[in-house]
Amino acid sequence: METGSITTPFGRRPMTLGMLASQVMAGEIKPDQSVDKWKLFRALCEAKPLLGISDRALAVLNALLSFYPKNELAEENGLIVFPSNVQLSLRTHGMAEQTVRRHLAVLVEAGLLLRKDSPNGKRYVRRDRAGEVNDAFGFSLAPLLARAEEIEQLAAEVMAERLHVQRLRERITLCRRDIAKLIEAAIEEDVEGDWQSLHLEFRELIEGLPRSPTTAQLEQLLDELTALRADILNRLEIRVKTTKQRGNASHIERHIQNSNPDSISELEPGFDTKQGARAEQDNGRGAVTPEEGRSEAIRSDNRPGRQVGRPGGRDDAGGLKSFPLGLVLQACPEILAYGPDGVIRNWRDLMTAAVTVRSMLGVSPSAYEEAASVMGAENAATVMACILERGGHINSAGGYLRDLTRRSEKGEFAIGPMLMALLRANAPAGRKAG
């Protein structure tokens, strides 16, 4: 069994304050604390960008976890594993022993493992006459157990950021298409203006984006494209108003709508935003396939160019009507406790809280990602808040979410009635976002 005392590395390896801090943290584990090792490993895989560990280091950690005899990491089961480098090499599919040692050092430095070295530096176990483990020397998994909650939170932040970036890329693709087609319409209708310069400005914005842009760069590009689209629309609206004053409104309207057989209105019909049967009938329609979206983006630019983001044919709401954040929080006040610092200030905070709730309710990452893909990131977070609010009436949160996702794909699900019912139920609460 583990003694809980501070140990130092064998041989020339130095002792560091980081190692000491990890050992102190491991000593603060509660006696009844436990966590599913594979669930925690999946969270580690999500959080690896924030933890600074590579795929190969995770492969070594996966091999170490496979030597732990129980599925639940807990002090009562012991937290020391003691495989040799040869055994680790076999379970990492033939990774060289020198590489295994290097990644073990990375995991120790990252505060995910502790070395408990024997007097001679070997890894082994001592058992009593009854066969029970008396003392073991090798690697302690205690830091994983001690940091389980932190790792889950980091994984939630990474997933929320990924969904935010996905939504940014979708909105950029839609904005690109709008700008290209509006400029094309202006040129075909001989609208007065320097449209070639505007098109050149548009291309410079798109081509100035790095191959692997940061979130901030995507946000800046979306702001610039939105401003450019607003400028183009303003110029075209002035032309339309001027033409109406001359009595030719019907002629212009017919040309704007029908001069291009591949117009946006035909490829992506809008959906009624009113609540009720009309909204349920239209939900999920008007979206084009990724292949159609890709071809549209290419056609709209009228020249080869690097695509921005993942092409898609869904609107920002994923085919469902979006609702104001304040309304969602008023209907689902329970989600507030899971926001960063217990507060939800914006949609990103809500998506972070939704991922935390998803993990707490046992909803698989694949089920939540599928819901976000079908409904849209904001609507998926809204649905997860509703599921949390009705937790006492739902036997399987994951199965319920998958059912709603399937109904959403068929256009048979609307969020409005669910929110309105919760809003009526929580009317006295009156809690708001921070």
Side-chain angles (χ1 to χ4, degrees):
M1 299 294 292
E2 293 180 84
T3 62
S5 60
I6 300 299
T7 61
T8 56
F10 170 78
R12 297 181 179 179
R13 288 193 297 266
M15 182 67 177
T16 66
L17 290 179
M19 293 180 186
L20 182 60
S22 296
Q23 293 188 45
V24 171
M25 182 186 298
E28 297 173 352
I29 296 174
K30 299 176 183 178
D32 60 343
Q33 187 174 349
S34 66
V35 65
D36 185 292
K37 64 179 181 180
W38 298 123
K39 180 180 177 182
L40 183 60
F41 181 74
R42 287 191 293 271
L44 272 169
C45 292
E46 290 278 4
K48 67 177 182 178
L50 299 182
L51 292 171
I53 52 177
S54 66
D55 295 340
R56 304 202 77 186
L58 284 173
V60 173
L61 181 59
N62 180 77
L64 279 173
L65 289 173
S66 71
F67 285 100
Y68 190 76
K70 305 286 186 179
N71 278 333
E72 291 287 325
L73 285 178
E75 270 198 314
E76 63 181 15
N77 299 328
L79 292 171
I80 302 291
V81 288
F82 39 87
S84 66
N85 287 339
V86 174
Q87 291 173 317
L88 284 174
S89 178
L90 290 174
R91 294 206 185 179
T92 52
H93 308 288
M95 185 183 294
E97 291 185 33
Q98 183 178 1
T99 306
V100 169
R101 286 194 295 271
R102 184 170 69 251
H103 289 300
L104 285 171
V106 169
L107 292 169
V108 171
E109 186 177 349
L112 300 176
L113 287 181
L114 280 178
R115 292 183 186 273
K116 185 178 179 184
D117 288 341
S118 65
N120 63 2
K122 301 294 183 180
R123 300 171 205 153
Y124 57 85
V125 62
R126 292 190 184 280
R127 301 180 185 272
D128 57 22
R129 292 184 178 181
E132 296 295 327
V133 175
N134 188 37
D135 206 354
F137 298 98
F139 290 99
S140 172
L141 303 175
L144 290 177
L145 183 57
R147 299 179 64 186
E149 186 176 344
E150 174 197 351
I151 292 169
E152 288 279 358
Q153 181 62 34
L154 291 175
E157 291 177 9
V158 169
M159 190 171 181
E161 180 69 9
R162 183 167 64 246
L163 291 174
H164 176 59
V165 169
Q166 175 184 335
R167 187 170 183 270
L168 283 175
R169 290 179 179 275
E170 290 172 350
R171 293 177 63 187
I172 287 172
T173 299
L174 291 172
C175 205
R176 286 182 61 185
R177 185 181 66 195
D178 291 348
I179 292 172
K181 291 204 169 188
L182 288 171
I183 291 177
E184 181 182 356
I187 294 174
E188 288 182 359
E189 297 292 336
D190 292 327
V191 178
E192 183 178 353
D194 190 359
W195 299 106
Q196 295 298 334
S197 296
L198 284 173
H199 186 267
L200 180 61
E201 179 184 350
F202 167 55
R203 293 305 309 171
E204 287 176 348
L205 288 175
I206 298 303
E207 293 170 0
L209 191 70
R211 184 175 296 274
S212 299
T214 63
T215 303
Q217 289 171 327
L218 288 173
E219 290 172 342
Q220 180 181 355
L221 176 63
L222 179 59
D223 290 342
E224 292 172 341
L225 289 176
T226 301
L228 180 59
R229 179 175 60 182
D231 182 29
I232 294 171
L233 282 172
N234 183 55
R235 298 186 188 204
L236 292 179
E237 286 173 1
I238 292 174
R239 170 62 182 269
V240 170
K241 291 177 182 178
T242 303
T243 306
K244 282 184 177 180
Q245 292 174 357
R246 295 174 183 173
N248 294 328
S250 61
H251 173 74
I252 294 299
E253 183 178 357
R254 183 171 64 254
H255 273 275
I256 290 177
Q257 293 183 358
N258 299 327
S259 61
N260 188 346
D262 293 331
S263 67
I264 299 173
S265 61
E266 293 178 15
L267 285 173
E268 294 188 315
F271 57 90
D272 195 345
T273 58
K274 295 181 181 179
Q275 297 181 14
R278 178 67 177 172
E280 292 190 7
Q281 179 181 358
D282 289 345
N283 273 336
R285 304 195 182 167
V288 298
T289 65
E291 289 75 17
E292 289 173 327
R294 186 180 294 109
S295 62
E296 263 309 287
I298 294 173
R299 276 204 308 274
S300 66
D301 286 350
N302 287 324
R303 64 170 67 183
R306 184 174 66 256
Q307 299 301 305
V308 176
R310 188 180 66 182
R314 284 196 170 275
D315 58 25
D316 290 345
L320 292 175
K321 176 183 176 181
S322 295
F323 290 83
L325 179 61
L327 177 65
V328 174
L329 297 178
Q330 188 177 357
C332 308
E334 294 295 332
I335 195 73
L336 287 167
Y338 299 91
D341 300 322
V343 176
I344 294 178
R345 302 177 180 86
N346 49 47
W347 279 106
R348 186 183 298 187
D349 287 351
L350 179 63
M351 287 188 282
T352 300
V355 174
T356 302
V357 169
R358 183 273 303 165
S359 177
M360 182 190 72
L361 295 180
V363 177
S364 67
S366 62
Y368 186 68
E369 288 183 6
E370 182 182 2
S373 175
V374 172
M375 303 178 186
E378 293 177 357
N379 284 329
T382 300
V383 169
M384 188 56 62
C386 292
I387 291 175
L388 175 67
E389 201 69 28
R390 300 185 63 234
H393 306 282
I394 298 173
N395 293 328
S396 171
Y400 185 60
L401 180 62
R402 288 190 185 277
D403 180 63
L404 294 184
T405 302
R406 286 192 294 268
R407 289 171 56 193
S408 179
E409 284 184 309
K410 298 176 182 178
E412 299 173 353
F413 169 64
I415 298 177
M418 181 185 294
L419 278 178
M420 293 305 107
L422 291 172
L423 193 62
R424 288 192 295 270
N426 293 323
R431 282 186 280 182
K432 296 182 180 180

